[in-house]
Amino acid sequence: HWHMIPLFTAQPSGKNMEDATSSNPQSIGFTEKLKSWLSWSWTYICAVWFAMVLTMIYVLRSPLKLQDTLTSASVFLNTLTPKFYVALTGTSSLISGLILIFEWWYFRKYGTSFIEQVSVSHLRPLLGGVESSTTTGLFSSVNGEAEPRPSVSECKVWRNPLNLFRGAEYSRYTWVTGKEPLTYYDMNLSAQDHQTFFTGDTQQLKTEDTVMQKAWRERNPQARIRAAYQAIEMNHECAAAYVLLAEEEATTITEAERLFKQALRSGKREQRVQDQITSLRPFEIITGKDINLLVYIKRRLAMCARKLGRIKEAVKMMRDLMKEFPLLGMLNIHENLLEALLELQAYADVQAVLAKYDGKLYGMFSPEAASRRGLSTAEMNAVEAIHRAVEFNPHVPKYLLEMKSLILPPEHILKRGDSEAVAYAFFHLQHWKRAEGALNLLHCTWEGTFRIIPYPLEKGHLFYPYPGCTETADRELLPSFHEVSVYPKKELPFFILFTAGLCSFTAMLAMLTHQFPELMGVFAKAVSR
């Protein structure tokens, strides 16, 4: 949804998605009906109970000697000195300030109020409200009906098709800054990917494959590299070992390319040996770890060529790879091709690739409407594309407009999340700057998207409602030193505002009582009467 905007020629495609969460209403049991009735009637029950308490106090005012008790309390208050009021208001201000600090810290860390969370978790079920133990919350749809919010497990994480090289790029960042650009969660997902793609059936593993399977699981980079060398000693044609060395030991792209070429030669030799042993035809072996490994190696070689400036060679390698393995579309090789074509400024080819993989390209504004607004049809299409792209991922504009600092992209991204925005802007900001007027148009129009989306912001307009689990997943994928972009912006909880007001009010009373003790003493006695 962001690729075509700098071109001013067409907008990325996309159809309005149907609400997948709709379901037929189910019958409500007797228990649910009872809870609903109790929740509805609780306000009236409390009012009746309060009225009964007041009536009982009025009836029993003489036996309880309430008048004498009030007189004694008034005498006690009159004997209090201003120092007591200073201590009282100062202590109240201190306690409310500590609560405010804790609430603010908890909100910044977990995105919710501690008091509200405890109230919802423990008090609301007792009062007949919705139990908080369910894994899916509720939010309103466009038509006002309640829909289940996706849980964290429903936020699928995808492999970043443009991920960097650990040894030649990520490690250099660590050497310079002393910061780790990858999280353990992100690297663990990569290890799982490598085991799935490169080891295949565990019942048919060779000795070197077993070593490599353990190598991918190693947390220490040096342990992984030692395991790769151990696998090469067992079998000099172990392509997976050369892949690991190219990814993690090579400190330059040139060195990584050399190791990937060695891995490709080893992989082809191993494949020819397997063909001779099994006597299978070529089209019958395009399955399993050998093909996955060869596709991965060829793709990384194309990315090496792109990084070393041989862009046309990289484009050819990517096109050949997509033609040779058309069924491996889930690897998103076309994303690598698009970035290389944008670098060549081959915008017609970019349109063709987008039309093939993203569907039909179209514009929603007629020439008459465009001319009335003073913009060309292409510019109006670009404005519409910006609106669609911003709704799909609202985190991208601040990175493209350099309102937020960029970091190295993670190895995995979350669709519509901050991790995807970081990865896109990292590789495509240069293309936006090259397209004259693209960033200016984005600057003038991107905020208008939020006026189109119905309130609240969780409701969808052209796409699914924005998922509520993106913040949690992005915090797992992005390093701790990066300030994760959150959408929609969370409003400050009521208890933070309440404790802030209480702290300020009591502090003001303490200061006034200390400065004007006699006047505040008269005021306190007047209020207590």
Side-chain angles (χ1 to χ4, degrees):
H1 299 281
W2 285 95
H3 285 304
M4 291 300 296
I5 300 172
L7 311 184
F8 297 111
T9 55
Q11 79 173 35
S13 66
K15 298 181 179 179
N16 292 352
M17 301 181 182
E18 298 179 355
D19 187 0
T21 61
S22 61
S23 59
N24 295 327
Q26 299 178 354
S27 59
I28 304 176
F30 174 76
T31 305
E32 287 75 12
K33 289 183 179 179
L34 181 60
K35 286 184 177 181
S36 177
W37 182 82
L38 288 175
S39 178
W40 172 78
S41 60
W42 188 258
T43 303
Y44 302 99
I45 294 176
C46 290
V48 172
W49 177 82
F50 187 69
M52 292 176 60
V53 170
L54 291 180
T55 303
M56 185 176 296
I57 292 175
Y58 179 77
V59 172
L60 300 176
R61 66 185 184 279
S62 296
L64 295 178
K65 299 181 180 181
L66 295 180
Q67 186 66 32
D68 297 340
T69 303
L70 293 176
T71 303
S72 301
S74 177
V75 172
F76 173 76
L77 293 176
N78 289 332
T79 58
L80 295 176
T81 63
K83 292 183 179 181
F84 171 80
Y85 294 107
V86 172
L88 177 65
T89 53
T91 304
S92 301
S93 177
L94 176 62
I95 294 175
S96 57
L98 294 175
I99 296 175
L100 173 63
I101 294 173
F102 175 77
E103 277 283 295
W104 177 255
W105 170 83
Y106 195 88
F107 174 74
R108 293 287 295 178
K109 186 174 180 63
Y110 299 105
T112 185
S113 166
F114 174 78
I115 300 177
E116 289 182 3
Q117 186 179 24
V118 171
S119 302
V120 171
S121 301
H122 300 285
L123 299 182
R124 192 175 179 184
L126 298 177
L127 300 179
V130 180
E131 296 184 4
S132 61
S133 60
T134 55
T135 56
T136 56
L138 294 177
F139 66 98
S140 300
S141 63
V142 178
N143 57 10
E145 298 178 354
E147 299 175 352
R149 180 186 295 277
S151 63
V152 176
S153 60
E154 294 177 356
C155 283
K156 181 176 176 58
V157 175
W158 300 81
R159 181 79 176 180
N160 183 3
L162 298 170
N163 65 303
L164 304 177
F165 295 87
R166 287 191 185 178
E169 292 172 305
Y170 287 120
S171 294
R172 284 177 173 267
Y173 179 84
T174 304
W175 297 338
V176 173
T177 64
K179 299 178 180 179
E180 290 291 342
L182 297 176
T183 63
Y184 175 70
Y185 175 75
D186 191 15
M187 292 189 290
N188 187 50
L189 290 177
S190 298
Q192 295 176 13
D193 293 341
H194 293 151
Q195 291 180 70
T196 302
F197 291 145
F198 301 158
T199 57
D201 189 359
T202 55
Q203 296 180 353
Q204 301 178 359
L205 287 180
K206 301 178 183 178
T207 307
E208 63 271 16
D209 293 333
T210 305
V211 174
M212 288 306 303
Q213 191 177 41
K214 294 180 180 178
W216 298 121
R217 293 197 298 263
E218 288 286 350
R219 188 169 183 177
N220 190 333
Q222 296 302 319
R224 291 195 294 268
I225 293 173
R226 287 195 299 268
Y229 279 115
Q230 182 182 354
I232 292 175
E233 291 177 0
M234 297 177 180
N235 181 6
H236 293 288
E237 303 298 337
C238 183
Y242 288 110
V243 168
L244 190 147
L245 294 178
E247 291 284 356
E248 304 209 20
E249 188 184 41
T251 57
T252 63
I253 300 298
T254 303
E255 186 179 355
E257 184 181 37
R258 179 184 62 80
L259 289 169
F260 273 120
K261 288 180 178 179
Q262 177 62 42
L264 182 62
R265 289 192 294 268
S266 300
K268 287 183 176 179
R269 292 194 196 103
E270 184 68 20
Q271 187 178 19
R272 285 195 295 267
V273 171
Q274 291 297 326
D275 292 346
Q276 294 174 359
I277 295 175
T278 58
S279 300
L280 293 177
R281 291 174 294 178
F283 67 88
E284 292 179 324
I285 62 167
I286 304 183
T287 55
K289 71 180 184 67
D290 295 329
I291 293 300
N292 292 336
L293 187 57
L294 288 177
V295 171
Y296 182 89
I297 293 171
K298 290 180 179 180
R299 179 183 192 167
R300 296 302 262 177
L301 280 172
M303 295 175 68
C304 288
R306 161 68 182 92
K307 293 175 183 292
L308 293 174
R310 307 194 306 270
I311 305 175
K312 292 184 178 180
E313 177 185 344
V315 168
K316 183 180 183 304
M317 295 172 67
M318 293 172 191
R319 290 189 184 276
D320 293 342
L321 190 58
M322 293 165 65
K323 290 179 181 178
E324 186 178 359
F325 304 100
L327 299 179
L328 296 179
M330 70 282 193
L331 298 178
N332 293 325
I333 302 176
H334 68 280
E335 293 285 348
N336 302 88
L337 179 61
L338 284 171
E339 197 280 326
L341 291 174
L342 286 171
E343 180 66 21
L344 292 175
Q345 301 186 35
Y347 298 136
D349 292 335
V350 171
Q351 287 181 325
V353 174
L354 285 174
K356 180 178 180 180
Y357 289 93
D358 289 342
K360 180 182 177 183
L361 298 175
Y362 63 93
M364 296 182 63
F365 293 91
S366 63
E368 295 79 8
S371 61
R372 287 197 300 269
R373 300 192 186 189
L375 297 176
S376 66
T377 305
E379 290 172 333
M380 292 304 294
N381 287 336
V383 171
E384 175 63 18
I386 288 174
H387 287 170
R388 296 178 64 83
V390 171
E391 180 181 348
F392 187 80
N393 192 320
H395 310 284
V396 175
K398 288 189 176 182
Y399 292 108
L400 293 179
L401 297 174
E402 300 182 87
M403 300 166 62
K404 202 173 189 308
S405 58
L406 268 175
I407 61 172
L408 295 186
E411 294 183 336
H412 290 79
I413 59 175
L414 180 69
K415 296 293 185 182
R416 307 185 74 177
D418 190 32
S419 53
E420 183 190 40
V422 169
Y424 176 82
F426 183 86
F427 293 103
H428 290 272
L429 178 58
Q430 56 181 332
H431 307 313
W432 279 76
K433 290 182 176 181
R434 189 182 297 116
E436 183 178 358
L439 289 174
N440 289 334
L441 184 64
L442 176 65
H443 178 73
C444 297
T445 58
W446 74 278
E447 291 181 331
T449 305
F450 303 108
R451 291 192 292 269
I452 300 175
I453 303 175
Y455 185 84
L457 294 181
E458 290 89 341
K459 295 180 179 180
H461 178 56
L462 299 174
F463 302 96
Y464 283 116
Y466 194 78
C469 56
T470 54
E471 179 184 358
T472 303
D474 278 331
R475 291 189 186 279
E476 294 286 345
L477 291 172
L478 296 170
S480 58
F481 58 83
H482 173 71
E483 183 180 356
V484 176
S485 177
V486 179
Y487 175 84
K489 286 291 185 183
K490 290 184 174 66
E491 297 180 356
L492 286 177
F494 165 76
F495 283 103
I496 290 183
L497 301 176
F498 175 76
T499 52
L502 180 62
C503 178
S504 302
F505 178 71
T506 52
M508 181 183 66
L509 286 181
M511 182 184 66
L512 292 176
T513 306
H514 179 69
Q515 294 294 329
F516 310 101
E518 297 180 357
L519 181 62
M520 293 302 295
V522 173
F523 176 76
K525 293 176 182 178
V527 171
S528 62
R529 288 176 181 176

